[in-house]
Amino acid sequence: NAGVMQNPRHLVRRRGQEARLRCSPMKGHSHVYWYRQLPEEGLKFMVYLQKENIIDESGMPKERFSAEFPKEGPSILRIQQVVRGDSAAYFCASSRFGTSDSNQPQHFGDGTRLSIL
Amino acid sequence: DQQVKQNSPSLSVQEGRISILNCDYTNSMFDYFLWYKKYPAEGPTFLISISSIKDKNEDGRFTVFLNKSAKHLSLHIVPSQPGDSAVYFCAASARTASKLTFGTGTRLQVTL
């Protein structure tokens, strides 16, 4: 009965390196959402994926950021050539159905804290 | 543009009393509202939600009220317990999109 699993919990990268954040949704959930939280702010939506499809990427920066949710395996949020401003907590959430279709809550993992040196 | 606002950054309440957390929104397309509780170094935990067809939803000690005309919702916790001390986020979604829009949070401290 595991919840949303994110790894790693903490990730340290130097400027210019790549960061890969992984998210395994709750069992039976095929909808995955990524959010970012900067210090002292609320969570900001980045991207919404269903298996093998990006449904809404309106919150993703246009450059350096990408996300995927393959048929097998976890969802991956990838940040290329990281900069200091990418330092944040990145949260993944999942739901059984899309929130707009079902009025069902999204359930969150404990996040990955990304620090850029 | 902050579409979901929590104007009180912090709130202190005595144990056993009622905690009332407030949230305002500006987007009239929002039709589903949620409250999450968050402890440090953990992810948000879902507490309670309400659809725009209702004006109240209750679950144990937690009740959410929705006033659509005022674009305002509130979370009532009664009685408050020390374990309720956390940051509470209000969130909303629209019928046209599944993404959640969050407020900036209210830090609740329940004192003995």
Side-chain angles (χ1 to χ4, degrees):
Chain A
N1 204 19
V4 177
M5 302 300 291
Q6 289 189 250
N7 66 83
R9 290 295 310 277
H10 301 274
L11 182 61
V12 179
R13 285 286 177 267
R14 296 189 181 279
R15 281 177 293 172
Q17 291 184 320
E18 179 180 287
R20 282 189 181 227
L21 288 63
R22 288 177 291 278
C23 169
S24 296
M26 284 179 70
K27 187 176 180 181
H29 288 192
S30 60
H31 298 252
V32 165
Y33 315 80
W34 286 92
Y35 294 83
R36 175 165 67 175
Q37 185 183 26
L38 295 171
E40 305 303 321
E41 294 189 12
L43 282 75
K44 297 273 196 276
F45 168 79
M46 299 181 74
V47 62
Y48 163 33
L49 310 102
Q50 207 179 344
K51 280 289 187 181
E52 300 185 275
N53 292 306
I54 295 176
I55 308 299
D56 180 355
E57 56 182 348
S58 59
M60 284 276 269
K62 294 286 181 263
E63 296 179 351
R64 303 187 298 108
F65 285 72
S66 63
E68 62 177 12
F69 188 15
K71 188 176 179 182
E72 301 291 338
S75 175
I76 306 285
L77 179 68
R78 183 183 178 205
I79 312 172
Q80 295 178 289
Q81 299 173 338
V82 296
V83 301
R84 288 254 169 88
D86 296 333
S87 294
Y90 291 82
F91 291 98
C92 171
S94 73
S95 62
R96 188 178 299 275
F97 304 106
T99 301
S100 64
D101 298 325
S102 63
N103 279 355
Q104 289 194 351
Q106 296 173 18
H107 296 276
F108 284 80
D110 283 337
T112 294
R113 269 109 190 125
L114 176 64
S115 299
I116 309 302
L117 302 179
Chain B
D1 62 336
Q2 191 70 27
Q3 297 185 61
V4 177
K5 298 177 186 177
Q6 294 177 256
N7 291 319
S8 298
S10 63
L11 175 67
S12 183
V13 171
Q14 250 184 340
E15 182 181 10
R17 308 292 283 265
I18 184 171
S19 295
I20 300 177
L21 296 97
N22 294 302
C23 178
D24 298 292
Y25 63 96
T26 57
N27 188 340
S28 57
M29 296 294 287
F30 288 150
D31 67 343
Y32 181 54
F33 304 88
L34 309 91
W35 284 95
Y36 286 86
K37 176 167 87 169
K38 187 179 181 304
Y39 294 119
E42 293 186 11
T45 300
F46 170 70
L47 275 176
I48 192 169
S49 63
I50 188 166
S51 149
S52 60
I53 62 172
K54 294 185 174 182
D55 54 20
K56 177 183 174 181
N57 189 26
E58 194 171 352
D59 184 1
R61 296 186 298 115
F62 302 94
T63 303
V64 56
F65 296 92
L66 176 62
N67 182 334
K68 288 185 289 293
S69 61
K71 292 191 175 69
H72 177 83
L73 65 155
S74 61
L75 173 68
H76 293 210
I77 307 173
V78 56
S80 301
Q81 299 173 354
D84 296 331
S85 297
V87 178
Y88 288 77
F89 289 99
C90 167
S93 73
R95 62 185 71 91
T96 54
S98 288
K99 64 184 179 184
L100 296 180
T101 300
F102 281 83
T104 51
T106 296
R107 185 177 303 276
L108 173 66
Q109 184 168 10
V110 179
T111 58
L112 297 172

